[in-house]
Each structure stands twice: as C-alpha cells, then as structure tokens.
Amino acid sequence: MSYTESLSKLLASADASEGCKLSVKTGGRTYTGLMMPRHDMSAPDTLVLKLDSGFNIGVRMRSDASIEVLEKPVKAVEKTEVPTFKKGLKKLVLLGTGGTIASRIDHRTGRVEPVMSGSEILNLIPEISDVANIESKSLFSVYSDNMSPEHWQKIAVAVAEEINSGADGVLISHGTDTMGYTAAALSFMLYNVPKPVVLVGAQRSSDRPSTDAAGNLIAGARFCVDGNKAGVFVVMHETIGDDLFAVHSGTRVRKMHSSRRDAFRSMNVPLVARIDRDGKIEHLSECRPVSDRKIKADTKMEENCLLLYCFPGMKPESFEDAVMNSKGVVLAGTGLGHVNESMIPLIRKATEAGIPVVMTTQCLEGTVNLNVYNAGREILAAGAIPAEDMLPETALVKLMWILGNYPADATESIMNVSFAGETSDRRVL
Amino acid sequence: MSYTESLSKLLASADASEGCKLSVKTGGRTYTGLMMPRHDMSAPDTLVLKLDSGFNIGVRMRSDASIEVLEKPVKAVEKTEVPTFKKGLKKLVLLGTGGTIASRIDHRTGRVEPVMSGSEILNLIPEISDVANIESKSLFSVYSDNMSPEHWQKIAVAVAEEINSGADGVLISHGTDTMGYTAAALSFMLYNVPKPVVLVGAQRSSDRPSTDAAGNLIAGARFCVDGNKAGVFVVMHETIGDDLFAVHSGTRVRKMHSSRRDAFRSMNVPLVARIDRDGKIEHLSECRPVSDRKIKADTKMEENCLLLYCFPGMKPESFEDAVMNSKGVVLAGTGLGHVNESMIPLIRKATEAGIPVVMTTQCLEGTVNLNVYNAGREILAAGAIPAEDMLPETALVKLMWILGNYPADATESIMNVSFAGETSDRRVL
C-alpha cells in the first residue's frame, strides 16, 4: 500500500517526510500537524497528521492540495560524550527514570516510546550547560503509570547518595502521570532534605519541536542553582507558552489536565516560586534554605494500602474484603469529608481491627471538617482520621510511609503533623 | 457550668446571645464569628466562636475584652402560608430534597441540621416572589452525602410530573456534596427535557447571615424565567461575593472546594451562562431552547457499578472480587487514561465476562486518549471503553443508566454518544 502518484509527487516536491511539521491546504481548509506514516486503513489519497492536541487526523488530499514543510524533525542526537564541566557552576545530577520527557515519537506507529538517556536529553538542550554542570545518570526507564513504591525507594536512595556525595541539587526526569505521587513519596522519604530535589517532566516528547522538556529542565536547573530552597519540588510549565514555569511543593501538586503543558497545579497553597524564561525567580512561599546537612532516606513503605473514592450507590460489601485485608485506607469523601451512612459500619470495623482509615475530600481543594454535620461526627466516632487539606494522593503516600516506619497506633498523631508542608497548620478547636 | 461573672456581664451588656455574629477584641486581637453555646470542655472565661470558615475557635477573654454584636441571628420563620400568586409571572416549582440550603444551625451543638421546608426557605427570600410564582414541594430531606440512585429516581419522576403539568421550570434545592452526581443522573433520566431544571444549594445554611442560599435560588429562578434554555443545570455562586452566579451543565459540573461559595466549576466546557445580581444573563454556550414537549423519565439504573480511582501500588487482587461481582466499572486512570500494567489482566477478565470497563482520567480536565502510548493501546485491547473528556462521576452515573436501560453489549456505542453534553464531539482518527 502506498500513496497515490499525485500525492507522492506532492510530498516529494515539498521535501516532506514522516516527522515533518506540515501546513496542508486542501478543499478550502488548512491543517497543521506532524506527518505520520501512512495508515494501513486509510485511502491512498489520505495524509495522516498528528495535531498539536496529540490527535491524529486523516486529510483527504484533493486536486487543489498544497503542502508546505514548516519544521523538519529534530534529528536523534548521536553524541553521548560527557560535556566539559565549566568552572564556577554548581553541580547538579540528573536522574533519569523514563517518561515522555525521555521519549521519541515512533513515526511508524505514531506512538511515543521511552528510549532516550539523560545525556541524550541534555544534548538536545545545549544551553543548559551554562546554568550548571549536570551529570546524567539513568536509574531505570518506565512510564510513570507503571511506577510503584519500589521505584520511589530506588529514586530516594539515589537522591540521598548524590546529595551526600556533594551534589548541589538533583533533577529527576519523570513521567507526568504519577509525578505528584512520586514527589510526595520523596518528600516523606527524604525528610528535611538539605538541597533542592526537582522533578521535571514533559507533556510532549523531547524530540518534538513543540516539546516542553527543555523549558522545564532549564527552569528546574535554575531553581536548583539560584533558588536557595531545600525540599522536594515539581517544576513544570505554568502557562501553555514557554514563558513561565511553576515550582510546586512536592506534597501539594496534582496533574489537573491530561495533556496541556500547564497541567500541574498547586492545590490549597500558593506556588513555591515562579521562574520566567530569563531565569528570574519570583519567590511566592517560604521554604527551608539550602544547607550542608547529610541525609538518609527512610524508604520503608507499607504497600498494602488503598485509596477509595466515595460515590452515591457505593456498597460497603463491594469493598469490605479489600479494606479488611489492607493495612490502611484513604477515603476521598464528598464535601467536607462525608460518606454515605451505609459505609460508616465498615469504617468502624476497619479501625476496630487496627486498620487506620484516613478521610480526605474528593473536592481536592479545601479542608476536611468532620465537626460541622452529624454525619461527620459519626465518621469521627467510627475512628476515621481527618486529613485536613491534604490531597487524597498525598495522604495515601503518607499513610504508606507512616505504616512502613512507625507503629500503627501512632498513625493518627503523625498523620496530622506536617512533615513536608502536606497540611496547613491545624486550627484550634 | 457557666461563664465567669465578668464574661457573663460583658455578654449581657453587649446584648450578645447564641447565634449572634460578634466582633470580639481581647489581647490585642480581633475575632469575628457566630457565638456558639458554651463548650463543656472550655474554661469559663472562654467564648466559642464559629468563624466564617466553619471552624470553631475558643477565645480566652482577658480583662481588656470587649464585645460588639454585628448581626442578630435570623429568626426562624413561623408563617408557612402559600404566597399570593402574581399575574404574568411564570410558574416554577421548588422541589426540596434537604441539604445545607434547607438547614439551620443547632446552636446547642454548633452543628447544622436539615429542618427547613421549601416554603420556609422561600419565606426567607421574599424578593423571589417578584421573579416567578414558585410553588414549593418537599420530596424528602437528606444531606446529599446520603443520596442514592433511588433518590435520583424520585426526583426525576417528580420533575417530569411537574413539567408535564405545566411548570415553566423546576428548581431543586439539594445538598452540595453529591449535587454533581444528581445533576448528571437527571440529565440522563430526563433526556431532552423541554424546560430548565435547575439544582441549587448552599455552602452556608439558610438561617445564617452569610448564607449563599438566597443568591443561588434567585439566580436559578431568573435563569428559569429568562434563560430560554432547556436542560439540567446547576446554579451556584461563581465568586465568593454575592455578585455573580454561574450556570453549569448538569453533566460537566464538579464540586471543587469543600467549603467555598464558589466551589462549583464547569470542567472541560465553558459555563452555560453567568447571571449578575441584577438578573442580567450572559449566555456563554449553546443549549436547546425551551419547548412544550411532554417528557417521560427513564429512571432505571443499574446500581451495582463501581468507580475506582487508580494509584501506584494498586493491587488487582484487592479489587478483583468487587469488579467481577459488579455489573460495570469506571476507572479514573492517570494522565490520558492509564493504569499500572498489573491492572490490565483484570480489565480483560472483566470485559471478557461482559462487565464493561470505562476509562476516564483522574486529572478531571482534558480527554482520555488511549492511542498515544503503548500502555493505552494495551488497555484498549483489553476491552476498556475510553470516555473521552467525560468526568469520572458523570461516566459512573451514565454507566448505571445505560446498564439500566440498554443491553450490556450496546454500552460502548452508547457511552460515547453525547446525550446531554457529557462529552465533547469525538474527533476523527
């Protein structure tokens, strides 16, 4: 199967090939997108374009069709030699874990594959070598939907090693899907970390002209170098342009859009900082300053924990075995932290069996308050632990960490101490 | 137990009693809040105030303390007579279902109790009688955390009856916790409803000076009267002031803050309309106009459906029994609709057993796209149904409705037809 003769000629005369960004005019309309391989199911006069939205579209090329190449594909970088270190610049380590940021488009399938090493990514961004001396190390390569607590542990150990070996900061390239969970896990495992630890990712693979990887990595590196803030952070686009980058607290950040560059948002707190394209840092909230303390990673996690989202019609019997066979449960209740009253006996049964049940809100913003309504009081009486304004995902990760490192009966008191900014100060009664 | 003599005198001289809004100055600080009953556990020199945030605070009254009454509590309304109907105004029906909007603060406990009827609410808002002739009927009185599909069915039947009996629109006063779920359920049950059906609620009970109930009800009534839009909508504060009110599509709205007045947001779509305090309507998206068609309510629901939120460390064995004993499952995956690969065999097992598995995104904004990454392709191959940019909660309600009214093997084709604006138009391949 191949294109029609006229379409083949048109492509040849425009010097258009797979991976080029094209402007295609036909039938009075103009389409802009990456040229994909011919689709086996498409007619021979149809060109498949990947739009900026990520969607593929089949364009039937009429006799009036014209093609213009807007951009050639970024060539895969061959050189992988370590760049020369520049005197006077701080030393950062880039830990590669996979994800879109380390991916290339496979033009045969139009899909994205994780293949690039950290040095390959850095080689695509030569200007970053003016910001810091960055040493690249690959930990593993997985998309973040497949990250597990075991991966968090490997990352935490590696970060602690690099910081104790003298790194001024650590960048972690990571898939975006579960970046918030990993950031929370590192925030607890690396309690009181003395340097900046910055997760960066991309919503478009690094070999695409439209990639957001470069902007995020450079902003992350600048924050490590000039921010004087210690902790675990996520640095991603604040806007859909390449002009502003947001620094989020690792325990407060959530992916709030499936595809936009500005998908990440700080929930219930202001940004830590904002970085513009010239590297100027606007500080928006307080953090501990950088220090030279040594750290160790407390990486133990109780993996057998559940996050359950509450909904009308939820039947306690559907979840009873899962709850009673777990070591701890986070509920994302409605509103101020409510559940259907039919769920309350299961909460009581779990807590009486020593299985902590933590209450968060599926609103995601605002705080849990179980003292306003009778329903809340009954949930409290059943032994649930209100998690204030902690994100459900962060509460899950924290519960795994508490149960891995502390006796189970200390869960309630530890849950509401803010270890890494994960809850706002508790109010007095 | 009682207050100290000096505090009792201070309260008496300020004419302050439980339920009054007070400004209290002591120790160089000023506190503003509702005066609560004395707390048995508090010291006799401590006054308990409920802050606007809903939190109670104990203020120790020093010798320098002063008290000013800012507002007296709203008196419970005794008269419940039906107001005289005004000629020329449209006829609306207010269906009461309970919730904060129908609640009073119990000053003995500081908690909120659902006690008011629809006519009591209307009597607190005399100016609404200039907007429409509103007949009030009470369906039941529950907080919305206890709403179930059975409640949705009762509401849908009542709405259809009122519209077929000549109502120009129906207002439904409803708790805010699960208002979005109910709005989605009514959107499907009342397919192509010919009149406006508007859910309204409140984040502060109707007897509080700070209540948002009046603003929401008046804006909802004005939209019914002047909007010329048919469908199921939610009308709530767009801002924290009393100046702008948002009209949301019933399938696209989500409570995104546990306590703020402006908690409700339209996800993935613009607002339907915006209403200012003078009743001016700014139309922001298209809807069917009002008509005189009769309707019937298709209220059958398959209640045995699950909404499962995916997270790192999620174990398929925890959820296998729940999934295999259900009639249908909605997953809130990460990013574009991904799950940990360990979950994919369970998706396959369910779909092969005829249990539909619908994929949504826990990002809440943006669309599911299972064609970008290999992981997504495997999830598709396992038989999952991508729900585009449908909210997870709306997908759950729609799945219940599809399984209640159509053969199970029609689920995929029906899931991605937009019945009530719940998905954006499908893109072409």
Side-chain angles (χ1 to χ4, degrees):
Chain A
M1 290 285 284
S2 59
Y3 292 115
T4 57
E5 199 185 324
S6 64
L7 178 49
S8 296
K9 277 188 187 163
L10 195 62
L11 289 166
S13 69
D15 197 20
S17 57
E18 289 170 13
C20 286
K21 187 167 186 178
L22 303 184
S23 169
V24 172
K25 293 184 189 176
T26 183
R29 298 189 61 178
T30 303
Y31 306 87
T32 304
L34 288 189
M35 179 173 162
M36 290 288 107
R38 232 189 67 64
H39 195 289
D40 290 344
M41 313 285 280
S42 300
D45 62 349
T46 296
L47 196 63
V48 179
L49 295 180
K50 183 180 282 284
L51 305 182
D52 274 349
S53 64
F55 285 96
N56 288 353
I57 184 174
V59 180
R60 181 150 296 186
M61 304 292 278
R62 298 163 194 239
S63 53
D64 67 345
S66 68
I67 295 175
E68 183 192 351
V69 174
L70 301 177
E71 288 176 57
K72 288 281 184 184
V74 179
K75 284 276 183 294
V77 180
E78 300 299 331
K79 59 165 183 158
T80 53
E81 73 271 24
V82 178
T84 322
F85 273 28
K86 297 184 183 170
K87 279 196 181 163
L89 294 187
K90 286 191 177 172
K91 180 194 162 188
L92 306 181
V93 176
L94 171 63
L95 298 176
T97 73
T100 301
I101 190 169
S103 298
R104 287 204 188 92
I105 291 184
D106 178 341
H107 290 294
R108 289 163 310 164
T109 60
R111 290 199 187 79
V112 177
E113 309 278 354
V115 289
M116 298 168 84
S117 69
S119 9
E120 285 180 290
I121 301 172
L122 291 178
N123 282 332
L124 285 174
I125 316 169
E127 62 269 41
I128 204 169
S129 64
D130 294 331
V131 178
N133 291 318
I134 303 183
E135 187 182 349
S136 164
K137 299 186 180 179
S138 188
L139 290 183
F140 43 77
S141 182
V142 298
Y143 282 119
S144 72
D145 31 306
N146 282 327
M147 287 265 181
S148 65
E150 210 176 308
H151 293 101
W152 304 340
Q153 291 163 331
K154 285 183 186 158
I155 300 172
V157 167
V159 171
E161 277 176 13
E162 296 301 339
I163 288 176
N164 288 337
S165 304
D168 295 304
V170 179
L171 293 162
I172 301 161
S173 59
H174 195 287
T176 56
D177 267 27
T178 66
M179 188 185 271
Y181 297 85
T182 302
L186 296 178
S187 300
F188 299 118
M189 291 174 172
L190 300 168
Y191 174 59
N192 263 350
V193 62
K195 304 286 183 191
V197 175
V198 173
L199 292 102
V200 292
Q203 295 276 65
R204 304 281 180 279
S205 58
S206 291
D207 65 333
R208 289 180 63 171
S210 64
T211 186
D212 48 332
N216 293 335
L217 259 171
I218 293 171
R222 287 195 189 277
F223 182 73
C224 284
V225 167
D226 295 327
N228 192 27
K229 283 183 163 158
V232 177
F233 308 99
V234 165
V235 173
M236 292 287 288
H237 275 61
E238 187 183 3
T239 58
I240 55 169
D242 272 317
D243 50 345
L244 290 176
F245 304 87
V247 182
H248 304 273
S249 158
T251 55
R252 296 289 201 154
V253 63
R254 196 171 189 282
K255 185 174 181 179
M256 291 298 290
H257 195 285
S258 64
S259 62
R260 284 168 65 118
R261 293 158 155 236
D262 58 345
F264 282 78
R265 287 200 225 134
S266 284
M267 309 298 278
N268 283 319
V269 289
L271 293 179
V272 171
R274 172 181 292 128
I275 304 173
D276 70 14
R277 64 196 316 165
D278 301 320
K280 203 183 133 216
I281 302 178
E282 182 187 359
H283 290 277
L284 299 166
S285 47
E286 292 292 314
C287 294
R288 276 172 300 111
V290 166
S291 75
D292 285 324
R293 234 165 32 84
K294 297 280 173 191
I295 55 162
K296 79 179 177 64
D298 288 325
T299 67
K300 284 203 288 283
M301 292 297 245
E302 171 53 67
E303 281 198 48
N304 187 12
C305 292
L306 305 179
L307 172 55
L308 298 180
Y309 195 101
C310 301
F311 54 89
M314 185 177 198
K315 309 237 171 303
E317 55 270 29
S318 300
F319 296 97
E320 180 158 348
D321 286 349
V323 167
M324 297 309 294
N325 289 318
S326 77
K327 299 293 186 193
V329 179
V330 173
L331 296 177
T334 60
L336 292 167
H338 298 137
V339 297
N340 190 290
E341 59 194 357
S342 66
M343 292 295 294
I344 296 177
L346 178 55
I347 296 175
R348 186 176 302 111
K349 186 174 175 185
T351 61
E352 284 176 354
I355 300 165
V357 176
V358 176
M359 183 61 75
T360 63
T361 172
Q362 62 187 249
C363 296
L364 304 175
E365 293 199 86
T367 185
V368 164
N369 186 345
L370 298 178
N371 290 307
V372 178
Y373 295 93
N374 277 329
R377 186 177 54 169
E378 285 170 25
I379 293 165
L380 267 185
I385 303 167
E388 309 291 326
D389 62 348
M390 209 183 307
L391 280 171
E393 297 89 342
T394 297
L396 171 73
V397 171
K398 186 171 180 182
L399 183 60
M400 288 179 174
W401 180 75
I402 292 174
L403 294 175
N405 293 279
Y406 296 90
D409 61 4
T411 304
E412 176 157 12
S413 53
I414 298 172
M415 184 51 75
N416 282 308
V417 176
S418 184
F419 275 79
E422 70 274 17
T423 51
S424 304
D425 288 340
R426 287 201 82 164
R427 326 277 180 118
V428 287
L429 167 81
Chain B
M1 292 283 286
S2 58
Y3 292 115
T4 56
E5 198 185 324
S6 63
L7 178 50
S8 298
K9 279 188 187 164
L10 195 60
L11 288 166
S13 68
D15 196 20
S17 56
E18 290 170 15
C20 286
K21 188 168 185 179
L22 304 183
S23 170
V24 172
K25 292 183 190 175
T26 182
R29 298 188 63 178
T30 303
Y31 307 86
T32 305
L34 288 189
M35 179 174 161
M36 291 287 108
R38 231 189 69 66
H39 194 289
D40 289 345
M41 312 286 279
S42 300
D45 62 349
T46 295
L47 196 62
V48 179
L49 295 179
K50 183 180 282 284
L51 304 182
D52 274 350
S53 65
F55 285 94
N56 288 353
I57 184 175
V59 180
R60 180 150 297 187
M61 303 291 277
R62 297 162 195 242
S63 53
D64 67 345
S66 68
I67 295 175
E68 183 191 355
V69 174
L70 301 177
E71 288 175 60
K72 287 281 181 184
V74 179
K75 282 278 181 293
V77 180
E78 299 301 331
K79 59 165 183 157
T80 53
E81 73 271 23
V82 178
T84 321
F85 273 28
K86 298 186 184 170
K87 279 193 181 167
L89 294 187
K90 287 191 176 171
K91 181 195 163 188
L92 306 181
V93 176
L94 171 62
L95 298 177
T97 73
T100 301
I101 190 169
S103 297
R104 287 206 188 93
I105 292 185
D106 178 340
H107 290 294
R108 287 164 311 165
T109 61
R111 293 201 186 78
V112 176
E113 309 278 353
V115 289
M116 298 170 86
S117 69
S119 10
E120 284 180 291
I121 301 173
L122 291 178
N123 281 332
L124 285 174
I125 316 170
E127 61 270 40
I128 204 168
S129 64
D130 294 331
V131 178
N133 290 319
I134 304 183
E135 187 183 347
S136 164
K137 299 187 180 179
S138 188
L139 290 183
F140 43 79
S141 182
V142 298
Y143 282 119
S144 73
D145 32 306
N146 282 327
M147 287 266 181
S148 65
E150 209 176 309
H151 294 100
W152 303 339
Q153 291 163 332
K154 285 183 188 160
I155 301 172
V157 167
V159 171
E161 278 176 12
E162 297 300 339
I163 287 177
N164 288 337
S165 306
D168 294 306
V170 179
L171 293 162
I172 301 161
S173 59
H174 193 287
T176 56
D177 267 27
T178 66
M179 188 185 270
Y181 296 86
T182 301
L186 296 179
S187 300
F188 299 119
M189 291 174 172
L190 300 169
Y191 175 58
N192 264 351
V193 62
K195 304 286 184 191
V197 176
V198 173
L199 291 103
V200 292
Q203 295 274 65
R204 304 279 179 279
S205 58
S206 292
D207 65 333
R208 288 179 63 171
S210 64
T211 186
D212 47 334
N216 293 334
L217 259 172
I218 293 171
R222 286 195 190 276
F223 182 74
C224 284
V225 167
D226 295 328
N228 192 27
K229 284 185 161 156
V232 177
F233 308 99
V234 164
V235 173
M236 292 287 289
H237 274 61
E238 187 183 3
T239 57
I240 55 168
D242 272 317
D243 49 346
L244 290 175
F245 303 87
V247 183
H248 305 273
S249 158
T251 55
R252 297 289 204 155
V253 63
R254 195 172 190 284
K255 185 175 181 180
M256 292 297 289
H257 195 285
S258 63
S259 61
R260 284 169 65 117
R261 292 159 155 235
D262 59 345
F264 282 78
R265 288 201 223 136
S266 283
M267 308 298 278
N268 284 318
V269 289
L271 293 179
V272 171
R274 173 180 293 128
I275 303 174
D276 71 13
R277 64 196 316 164
D278 300 322
K280 204 182 133 218
I281 302 179
E282 182 187 1
H283 290 278
L284 299 166
S285 46
E286 293 291 314
C287 294
R288 277 172 299 109
V290 166
S291 75
D292 284 325
R293 235 166 32 83
K294 297 279 173 191
I295 54 162
K296 77 177 179 61
D298 288 325
T299 67
K300 284 203 287 284
M301 292 298 244
E302 172 53 67
E303 280 197 49
N304 187 10
C305 290
L306 304 178
L307 171 55
L308 298 179
Y309 194 101
C310 301
F311 54 88
M314 186 177 197
K315 309 238 171 304
E317 56 270 28
S318 299
F319 295 97
E320 180 159 347
D321 286 348
V323 167
M324 297 309 294
N325 289 318
S326 78
K327 300 293 185 191
V329 180
V330 172
L331 296 177
T334 59
L336 293 166
H338 299 138
V339 297
N340 191 290
E341 59 195 357
S342 66
M343 291 296 294
I344 296 178
L346 178 55
I347 295 176
R348 186 177 302 111
K349 186 174 175 185
T351 62
E352 284 176 354
I355 301 165
V357 177
V358 176
M359 182 61 74
T360 62
T361 173
Q362 61 187 250
C363 296
L364 304 175
E365 294 200 84
T367 185
V368 164
N369 186 344
L370 299 178
N371 290 307
V372 178
Y373 296 92
N374 278 329
R377 187 175 54 169
E378 285 169 26
I379 292 165
L380 267 185
I385 302 167
E388 309 291 326
D389 63 349
M390 209 183 307
L391 280 171
E393 297 89 343
T394 298
L396 171 73
V397 171
K398 186 172 180 182
L399 183 60
M400 288 179 174
W401 180 75
I402 291 174
L403 294 175
N405 293 280
Y406 297 90
D409 61 3
T411 304
E412 177 156 12
S413 53
I414 299 172
M415 184 51 75
N416 282 309
V417 176
S418 184
F419 276 79
E422 69 274 18
T423 52
S424 305
D425 288 340
R426 286 202 83 163
R427 326 280 178 116
V428 289
L429 168 80

